[in-house]
Amino acid sequence: MPIYKAPVEDYLFVLHDLLRVQDLKDLAGFSELTNDLTRPVLEGIAQFCEDKWQPLNQSGDEEGCRLENGAVRTPKGFAEAYKQYCEAGWNKLASPERFGGAGLPGLIGMAAGEIAVGSNAALALYSGLTNAALSTLEVTGAPWMLEHIIPKMVDGVWTGTMCLTEPHCGTDLRLMKTKAIEQPDGSYKITGTKIFISGGDHDLSDNIVHLVLAKLPNAEGKFVDDLSSVNFFLVSKQNIDPNSGRLSHRNGVSVGAVEKKMGIRGNATCVLNFEDAVAHRLGSQSESKTSSAAGMSGMFLMMNRARLGTGISALGVSEAAYQNSAQYAQERIAGKPAKGSNQPHAIISYPDVRRLLIKQRAFNEGARAFGSWVSLLIEKQRNASEPDQRRRAGDLAQLLTPIIKAYFSDRAFDGTNAAVQIYGGHGYIRDNGVEQFVRDSRIYQIYEGANGVQAHDLVARKLGADGSRAYEAFASEITVAIESCEEVGLDDLSDALRKAAKDLEAAVEWVRANSGSTYDIAAASYDVLNIFGVVSIGLMWARAARVAHDLLKANRADREFLERKLVLARYWMERELPMTSTFLERAALGSRGLMDLAAAAL
Amino acid sequence: MPIYKAPVEDYLFVLHDLLRVQDLKDLAGFSELTNDLTRPVLEGIAQFCEDKWQPLNQSGDEEGCRLENGAVRTPKGFAEAYKQYCEAGWNKLASPERFGGAGLPGLIGMAAGEIAVGSNAALALYSGLTNAALSTLEVTGAPWMLEHIIPKMVDGVWTGTMCLTEPHCGTDLRLMKTKAIEQPDGSYKITGTKIFISGGDHDLSDNIVHLVLAKLPNAEGKFVDDLSSVNFFLVSKQNIDPNSGRLSHRNGVSVGAVEKKMGIRGNATCVLNFEDAVAHRLGSQSESKTSSAAGMSGMFLMMNRARLGTGISALGVSEAAYQNSAQYAQERIAGKPAKGSNQPHAIISYPDVRRLLIKQRAFNEGARAFGSWVSLLIEKQRNASEPDQRRRAGDLAQLLTPIIKAYFSDRAFDGTNAAVQIYGGHGYIRDNGVEQFVRDSRIYQIYEGANGVQAHDLVARKLGADGSRAYEAFASEITVAIESCEEVGLDDLSDALRKAAKDLEAAVEWVRANSGSTYDIAAASYDVLNIFGVVSIGLMWARAARVAHDLLKANRADREFLERKLVLARYWMERELPMTSTFLERAALGSRGLMDLAAAAL
């Protein structure tokens, strides 16, 4: 049976030693974030997920979801485990107090999210998407929605979905066919088919709130392939009385199918058919009601949150995979590691197995630190006292979001595959539970804009516009980390990071110099994203190394933990950062050679 | 529904333009290998596999194998499709004529193998392993086996397996527990449990011939953890009368379970229980019957063949995945590729999608050329007229076998994942059939010695001993290819290859210089293997580019095909070969930092 132990100690290190959240007095709610609060919260959700969710992970995958008489049945135990999770309040740690949440910073929500996913990715997704949906609704919903809908979602008794994709279009929203027709009472009726709707139907909650993209007709009453006609709507599975908030009759939303998927099989991925479904238009309350931007900005808000969530989810599965492979490597006996010994050893004695394990762990811990830092930046963007601080934090968070989504999911997938590799043939057998991590983690490279789209977002949008301001902020963070390592003689780390940062600088300069050449920028995007990714984790390792160095010097008791941080930091600097030179060399080729063939010749 | 079109034209290019097999007059059977023979053979198996095997690939995965009343049932249609394949003779193209085979060179067998796997990896494995087993039996079997067993296997009416792994040991054979006890009549009785036996039981054939590793007691009658006690045996599912070859009563082999696996689900992976099973000892007939080396050499013979087969199989699945993703990319409409255009385009217009497709295709075609060359080397090793030629070919084949196994399977897995990525969310849905390629191809990184073991084999064995002779031969092949490109002005290709070859040279020198340091060598092994891999494919692309260049100059009609070769060659040289510098940098670190942590700290 697979194991899972939530990385509570590592989160406490990240929160209190690395980010020192307890010292951020100017951020609302942060001064209370001492170990006295964070430890019991994280230990609480850890214990719950280890005890109640993780044991359902493999059985949920085996059983999957099924459609019975038009309703989706989730795997045995899911509904009960979901309810217990919400009743204990683990779903709403970071939800606003005014809606019934615990009001903790998003940073804690991220930690909770990783732990929930690490224990059971399919089950966690129902709650994760509900939180993304309610955050969006908070900004785009009408007052009656805030009053009657959001509190239900915060409590988890209603769940949420996002309905974007249609059979023939995903990324390109202009091609969307789902139509919305305004009704005399100001509501809308929506008709169309949406696919890949995670948690589109299930038996976990009383109601499901769908956030739906659909097109409005133009002035001539026609539906055109144009982004400006795409708007954002709320469609409830059961209709809701806006005055009382009570559920009434069933809305015109039905489940066309539940997809059979590669992984995340315990989460119901639905085809949803909307037939004259009652819908309410959403939009930023500060924007004109007729502005289509209201719809798109709502969607992007949700997407941004979901992108971070996707990266952190990938980390969660990667961590679970790592733990199992480390345990297996410690227990599996094979061969003698060195000449002269005739005693069989565990396979963890083999350098190539070590390489795989350290690679996994150095990514996981570096990513955890990086994701936490970006979560903190988002808090600062919202709540820092000075406008400059808010702007700087926002710049950085925007820049780094596609990196978390794409780089984390790519590396997490590699990590789950490394776990299978360590198991050898046993990894390929479903009963052993480790191949499930590969199948589950594979989705994160696709969710919320495939990773190629993330890379394009990075180079074309995030490094364009105000991008140089964002990049300069990032570069200055790297410089601080380099100097911080140098101060205490960690020169091997700082030298490696400086070298990689130069490659990053060169890549960014190349992007700027070639910004007029659409194809070149697009062709280089993936390599540029990889440079950002490996340097971002390197930045966190430089910071973590300095902290660990200082704490070791101060003789703190957790020496093994701190020494491991230094070993993992060195691993990353010595064996991962050097990749930047090849990435840069390749990026600088632009589209050379890639577009030479006729499409039909491939 | 997934598609598959066998790469017949590419094989004809490799055989007749690149390797020019029709000119190898001194190799037995090669002078007949003109296009008049190879084209109809390859087109024949291609059509059969496209029509009969490929349509069962997805349904076979869906249905899987099951154990009913002690016997394994394969998916619907498999038994019939297998029989038709054998009746048409596609299974025995490269089997010796004296046993009823078509007697074509192994090179043709390799092409047939790739095509069979590309159409249906699970089904092809039954036949592929039978061929590996019969080749081994040819060398290690007693005369009655050659007379009565091999012809049945060549006809495919009996199949073969290899039984090595036990629940607690795979790579480390010393730990094996299966016991063989000699009987008064010279036969043996074998008792033990073997796992992961591909095709261990099924309903495709009348009988199954298991080649089994088991231990003999030492002089004191004890079974010890020692390689020298491991021997190689034949155990038939139905006992065979050595005089008549007739099947008699059921032997003591039973199916303990059929594993549920990540992929290759149409192939029955069995737990086999041997209980006093009648066994016949195998051994090289030139070796002493009491020498345990006889058993081990037999096993290594089989493993070597299976390692090549594994690499080629990985290529087969990678090719199938590529074709589907290329078709999808040509058909899927999304977005506008360049500013100013408002016309939606197929996603193949996006440089990042191109990058993925070209990456897949450049690997597939390069690997096909490389695998074919190594197959040719094996023919030369056996049949070249001069001893020096035979030795040189053997050196090269030995050196390059672990690279085919490991590098091909790693890159093929990447390729299948690139295919899923191109499909986006649709790739994650089982019905679309592309995620199956990921699950199927994942096994090849594990089969026949996990890739880490291959890397160790390369650095510790293949580059040790007579390794420098083998490496020098390989280096001289590279030099010839470089010069051949320079002769016709393909300097960009030759320069890139020369640079990468220098990294390879440095890596090999590093391995030699550090050969005394077990841990360093082992730690560096994977990076060294990757250097060999990327340079090996680069070598083939240099050769292919020169050939394509010449044929274009000679105005051969297939211009698009030849021009694509040049584009793919440039891709490999520009975007893959530069990886060698990072691999080298990392290899040269040896085990630094990898062994610092206590095993329990991971």
Side-chain angles (χ1 to χ4, degrees):
Chain A
M1 283 289 291
I3 55 159
Y4 178 66
K5 187 143 177 42
V8 172
E9 294 306 321
D10 199 41
Y11 266 112
L12 293 172
F13 172 83
V14 168
L15 292 171
H16 299 301
D17 297 319
L18 190 67
L19 302 178
R20 299 197 63 79
V21 295
Q22 64 279 15
D23 297 343
L24 301 171
K25 307 289 185 202
D26 66 337
L27 277 178
F30 271 65
S31 59
E32 298 156 24
L33 278 191
T34 62
N35 199 292
D36 291 343
L37 175 68
T38 52
R39 179 177 284 280
V41 166
L42 294 180
E43 284 180 347
I45 186 170
Q47 193 174 346
F48 178 89
C49 288
E50 291 164 11
D51 293 351
K52 304 285 186 189
W53 276 27
Q54 193 268 345
L56 299 174
N57 190 41
Q58 211 180 353
S59 58
D61 175 66
E62 198 55 44
E63 186 181 339
C65 296
R66 60 195 186 283
L67 188 58
E68 281 179 6
N69 304 322
V72 173
R73 297 285 298 271
T74 59
K76 194 176 165 204
F78 268 39
E80 181 63 18
Y82 172 78
K83 275 176 192 134
Q84 290 173 345
Y85 179 79
C86 296
E87 280 162 14
W90 302 125
N91 65 316
K92 58 183 175 187
L93 290 174
S95 300
E97 286 177 278
R98 65 174 173 137
F99 297 121
L104 291 168
L107 203 48
I108 305 297
M110 176 202 135
E114 191 211 311
I115 292 168
V117 171
S119 72
N120 192 323
L123 184 47
L125 189 54
Y126 294 103
S127 175
L129 277 175
T130 300
N131 282 333
L134 77 87
S135 297
T136 308
L137 207 51
E138 195 184 335
V139 184
T140 60
W144 69 269
M145 298 174 187
L146 274 62
E147 184 185 352
H148 296 306
I149 297 179
I150 293 184
K152 296 281 193 188
M153 295 173 81
V154 166
D155 278 346
V157 295
W158 295 0
T159 61
T161 76
M162 48 201 291
C163 302
L164 278 55
T165 305
E166 299 184 6
H168 61 291
C169 78
T171 304
D172 189 355
L173 300 172
R174 297 172 309 155
L175 304 180
M176 195 168 279
K177 289 180 181 164
T178 299
K179 295 171 180 177
I181 307 285
E182 188 161 14
Q183 304 299 305
D185 67 352
S187 71
Y188 292 79
K189 288 210 166 168
I190 282 186
T191 299
T193 297
K194 295 286 181 179
I195 65 168
F196 301 161
I197 310 308
S198 298
D201 195 53
H202 53 72
D203 49 11
L204 306 185
S205 68
D206 304 336
N207 189 32
I208 303 174
V209 177
H210 306 292
L211 304 188
V212 185
L213 285 185
K215 275 183 181 170
L216 287 175
N218 65 12
E220 291 91 52
K222 291 206 172 119
F223 292 91
V224 293
D225 283 351
D226 190 324
L227 263 191
S228 68
S229 64
V230 177
N231 275 263
F232 201 37
F233 299 88
L234 181 148
V235 176
S236 181
K237 177 179 173 181
Q238 304 288 129
N239 278 299
I240 304 166
D241 176 2
N243 296 315
S244 68
R246 268 198 287 271
L247 297 179
S248 60
H249 59 290
R250 184 70 188 266
N251 203 349
V253 192
S254 60
V255 184
V258 177
E259 304 284 4
K260 289 173 73 176
K261 307 191 299 298
M262 184 183 191
I264 313 276
R265 288 167 38 80
N267 193 277
T269 304
C270 298
V271 174
L272 289 187
N273 295 316
F274 294 83
E275 289 173 64
D276 285 335
V278 175
H280 304 280
R281 193 160 166 209
L282 299 171
S284 165
Q285 299 310 305
S286 63
E287 290 175 287
S288 152
K289 221 198 154 189
T290 55
S291 159
S292 75
M296 297 311 288
S297 68
M299 189 207 67
F300 280 118
L301 190 73
M302 182 148 181
M303 288 286 290
N304 262 337
R305 187 166 170 135
R307 287 200 287 174
L308 287 175
T310 299
I312 303 306
S313 297
L315 167 60
V317 179
S318 180
E319 173 67 30
Y322 164 73
Q323 291 181 13
N324 282 278
S325 58
Q327 176 178 281
Y328 186 81
Q330 283 160 9
E331 291 174 356
R332 174 78 176 180
I333 300 297
K336 41 184 184 180
K339 277 172 192 164
S341 162
N342 209 15
Q343 184 65 32
H345 284 233
I347 61 171
I348 200 166
S349 303
Y350 288 96
D352 194 61
V353 172
R354 287 283 180 129
R355 177 181 67 84
L356 292 174
L357 288 171
I358 292 183
K359 192 182 178 82
Q360 292 179 75
R361 186 160 190 153
F363 165 71
N364 290 346
E365 294 190 8
R368 187 170 294 126
F370 185 64
S372 299
W373 178 52
V374 174
S375 293
L376 175 60
L377 289 170
I378 291 170
E379 295 289 330
K380 287 185 174 174
Q381 175 184 15
R382 286 186 198 143
N383 299 324
S385 50
E386 299 301 319
D388 274 6
Q389 285 182 309
R390 291 200 294 273
R391 196 185 67 175
R392 186 175 191 279
D395 285 347
L396 282 168
Q398 286 258 322
L399 175 71
L400 303 177
T401 293
I403 295 157
I404 289 189
K405 157 58 172 90
Y407 190 70
F408 279 26
S409 57
D410 282 352
R411 297 301 302 247
F413 183 66
D414 291 348
T416 59
N417 275 293
V420 165
Q421 199 64 20
I422 290 168
Y423 272 73
H426 297 275
Y428 202 66
I429 305 298
R430 290 191 62 160
D431 282 351
N432 294 322
V434 73
E435 59 84 46
Q436 184 188 342
F437 298 128
V438 173
R439 291 185 290 104
D440 284 355
S441 72
R442 185 63 186 83
I443 192 58
Y444 303 119
Q445 297 172 299
I446 298 169
Y447 269 166
E448 314 308 338
N451 284 356
V453 176
Q454 304 297 326
H456 194 261
D457 174 54
L458 174 70
V459 296
R461 281 195 284 271
K462 300 300 164 60
L463 292 178
D466 294 335
S468 67
R469 207 175 64 198
Y471 170 71
E472 295 311 328
F474 185 58
S476 76
E477 296 280 343
I478 297 171
T479 304
V480 170
I482 288 171
E483 288 167 357
S484 167
C485 282
E486 281 172 340
E487 273 171 25
V488 293
L490 293 168
D491 289 11
D492 53 340
L493 305 183
S494 55
D495 288 351
L497 184 56
R498 184 182 292 108
K499 190 163 174 287
K502 270 185 195 153
D503 287 341
L504 175 65
E505 177 85 29
V508 171
E509 273 169 19
W510 184 91
V511 169
R512 277 178 199 151
N514 292 275
S515 62
S517 175
T518 316
Y519 281 124
D520 287 324
I521 292 295
S525 62
Y526 218 89
D527 284 307
V528 173
L529 183 136
N530 273 322
I531 298 175
F532 266 98
V534 70
V535 171
S536 295
I537 305 293
L539 164 63
M540 299 319 288
W541 273 121
R543 291 185 186 165
R546 169 64 196 263
V547 168
H549 171 93
D550 291 354
L551 292 171
L552 278 166
K553 224 171 166 188
N555 278 317
R556 200 166 78 171
D558 52 346
R559 291 196 78 80
E560 185 183 80
F561 180 95
L562 297 168
E563 281 164 358
R564 184 174 51 221
K565 287 286 179 198
L566 286 169
V567 169
L568 297 177
R570 285 218 161 75
Y571 165 83
W572 196 269
M573 301 306 192
E574 286 182 342
R575 293 173 190 262
E576 299 290 339
L577 277 186
M579 298 292 292
T580 55
S581 62
T582 308
F583 294 145
L584 175 61
E585 184 175 345
R586 213 150 54 184
L589 295 171
S591 63
R592 181 164 135 188
L594 292 183
M595 310 305 288
D596 294 355
L597 295 172
L602 279 167
Chain B
M1 283 288 292
I3 55 160
Y4 178 66
K5 187 141 176 42
V8 172
E9 295 305 322
D10 199 40
Y11 266 113
L12 294 173
F13 172 83
V14 169
L15 291 172
H16 299 301
D17 296 319
L18 189 67
L19 302 178
R20 300 196 64 78
V21 294
Q22 64 278 15
D23 298 343
L24 302 171
K25 307 292 183 199
D26 66 335
L27 277 177
F30 271 65
S31 58
E32 299 155 24
L33 278 191
T34 63
N35 198 291
D36 291 344
L37 173 69
T38 52
R39 179 177 285 280
V41 166
L42 293 180
E43 285 180 347
I45 186 171
Q47 193 174 345
F48 178 89
C49 288
E50 291 164 11
D51 293 351
K52 304 286 185 187
W53 275 27
Q54 193 269 346
L56 299 174
N57 189 41
Q58 211 180 354
S59 58
D61 175 67
E62 198 55 46
E63 186 181 338
C65 297
R66 59 195 189 283
L67 189 58
E68 281 179 7
N69 304 321
V72 173
R73 297 285 298 271
T74 59
K76 196 176 163 201
F78 268 39
E80 181 63 18
Y82 172 78
K83 277 177 191 133
Q84 291 173 344
Y85 180 79
C86 295
E87 279 162 15
W90 303 125
N91 65 316
K92 58 183 175 186
L93 290 174
S95 301
E97 285 177 278
R98 63 174 175 139
F99 298 122
L104 291 169
L107 203 50
I108 304 298
M110 177 204 135
E114 191 211 312
I115 292 168
V117 171
S119 71
N120 193 321
L123 184 46
L125 189 53
Y126 295 102
S127 174
L129 277 175
T130 299
N131 282 333
L134 78 86
S135 296
T136 309
L137 206 51
E138 195 184 336
V139 185
T140 60
W144 70 269
M145 298 174 187
L146 273 62
E147 185 185 348
H148 296 306
I149 296 179
I150 294 184
K152 296 282 193 185
M153 295 173 81
V154 166
D155 278 346
V157 294
W158 295 0
T159 63
T161 77
M162 47 201 290
C163 302
L164 278 54
T165 305
E166 299 184 4
H168 62 290
C169 79
T171 305
D172 189 355
L173 300 172
R174 296 173 308 157
L175 305 179
M176 194 167 281
K177 289 180 181 162
T178 299
K179 295 172 182 176
I181 307 286
E182 189 164 11
Q183 304 299 304
D185 67 353
S187 71
Y188 293 78
K189 288 209 165 168
I190 281 185
T191 299
T193 297
K194 294 288 179 177
I195 64 169
F196 301 161
I197 310 309
S198 299
D201 195 52
H202 53 73
D203 50 11
L204 306 185
S205 68
D206 304 334
N207 189 32
I208 303 174
V209 177
H210 305 291
L211 303 189
V212 185
L213 285 185
K215 275 184 181 169
L216 287 175
N218 65 11
E220 290 91 53
K222 290 202 172 124
F223 292 92
V224 294
D225 283 353
D226 190 323
L227 265 192
S228 68
S229 65
V230 176
N231 275 262
F232 201 37
F233 299 88
L234 180 149
V235 176
S236 180
K237 177 179 173 182
Q238 304 287 130
N239 277 298
I240 303 166
D241 175 2
N243 296 314
S244 68
R246 267 198 288 271
L247 296 179
S248 60
H249 58 289
R250 185 68 188 265
N251 203 350
V253 192
S254 61
V255 184
V258 177
E259 304 285 3
K260 290 174 72 178
K261 307 190 301 296
M262 183 183 191
I264 314 276
R265 288 167 38 80
N267 194 277
T269 304
C270 299
V271 175
L272 289 186
N273 295 318
F274 294 82
E275 289 173 64
D276 284 335
V278 174
H280 303 279
R281 193 160 165 208
L282 300 170
S284 165
Q285 298 310 305
S286 64
E287 289 176 287
S288 151
K289 220 195 154 189
T290 55
S291 159
S292 74
M296 297 310 288
S297 69
M299 189 207 69
F300 280 118
L301 190 72
M302 182 147 180
M303 288 285 290
N304 261 338
R305 189 169 168 133
R307 286 199 287 174
L308 287 174
T310 299
I312 302 306
S313 297
L315 167 60
V317 178
S318 179
E319 173 66 32
Y322 164 74
Q323 291 182 13
N324 282 278
S325 58
Q327 176 178 281
Y328 186 82
Q330 282 160 9
E331 291 175 358
R332 175 78 176 180
I333 300 297
K336 42 183 182 179
K339 277 172 191 163
S341 163
N342 209 16
Q343 184 64 32
H345 282 232
I347 61 171
I348 200 165
S349 303
Y350 288 96
D352 194 62
V353 172
R354 287 284 180 128
R355 176 182 67 84
L356 291 174
L357 288 171
I358 292 183
K359 192 183 178 80
Q360 291 178 76
R361 186 160 190 153
F363 165 71
N364 290 347
E365 295 191 7
R368 187 170 294 124
F370 185 64
S372 299
W373 178 52
V374 174
S375 293
L376 175 59
L377 289 170
I378 290 170
E379 296 289 329
K380 287 185 174 174
Q381 176 184 14
R382 285 186 199 143
N383 299 324
S385 51
E386 298 301 317
D388 275 6
Q389 285 183 310
R390 292 200 295 273
R391 196 185 68 176
R392 186 175 191 276
D395 286 347
L396 282 167
Q398 285 258 321
L399 175 70
L400 302 176
T401 293
I403 295 157
I404 290 190
K405 157 58 171 90
Y407 189 70
F408 280 25
S409 58
D410 281 353
R411 296 301 301 247
F413 184 66
D414 291 348
T416 59
N417 275 294
V420 165
Q421 199 64 18
I422 290 168
Y423 272 73
H426 296 275
Y428 202 66
I429 305 297
R430 291 192 61 159
D431 282 351
N432 294 322
V434 72
E435 59 84 47
Q436 184 188 343
F437 298 129
V438 173
R439 291 185 290 103
D440 284 356
S441 72
R442 184 63 186 85
I443 193 56
Y444 303 120
Q445 297 171 299
I446 297 169
Y447 268 166
E448 315 307 338
N451 284 355
V453 176
Q454 304 297 326
H456 195 261
D457 174 54
L458 174 69
V459 296
R461 281 194 284 271
K462 299 300 163 62
L463 292 178
D466 295 335
S468 66
R469 207 176 63 198
Y471 170 71
E472 294 312 328
F474 185 58
S476 77
E477 296 281 342
I478 297 171
T479 304
V480 170
I482 289 170
E483 289 167 357
S484 166
C485 282
E486 281 172 340
E487 273 171 24
V488 294
L490 294 167
D491 288 10
D492 53 341
L493 304 183
S494 55
D495 288 351
L497 184 56
R498 185 182 292 105
K499 189 162 175 288
K502 270 186 194 149
D503 287 342
L504 176 64
E505 178 83 28
V508 171
E509 273 168 21
W510 184 91
V511 169
R512 277 178 201 151
N514 292 275
S515 62
S517 175
T518 315
Y519 281 127
D520 287 324
I521 293 295
S525 62
Y526 218 89
D527 285 306
V528 173
L529 183 136
N530 273 321
I531 298 175
F532 266 98
V534 70
V535 170
S536 295
I537 305 293
L539 164 64
M540 299 318 291
W541 274 121
R543 289 185 188 167
R546 170 65 198 265
V547 168
H549 171 92
D550 292 353
L551 292 172
L552 280 165
K553 225 172 167 187
N555 278 316
R556 201 167 76 172
D558 52 345
R559 291 196 77 81
E560 186 183 78
F561 180 95
L562 297 168
E563 282 163 357
R564 183 173 53 222
K565 287 285 178 198
L566 285 169
V567 169
L568 296 177
R570 284 219 160 73
Y571 165 83
W572 196 268
M573 301 306 191
E574 286 181 343
R575 293 174 191 261
E576 299 290 339
L577 278 186
M579 299 293 291
T580 55
S581 61
T582 308
F583 294 145
L584 175 61
E585 185 175 345
R586 212 150 55 184
L589 295 170
S591 63
R592 182 164 133 187
L594 292 183
M595 311 305 290
D596 294 355
L597 295 172
L602 279 167

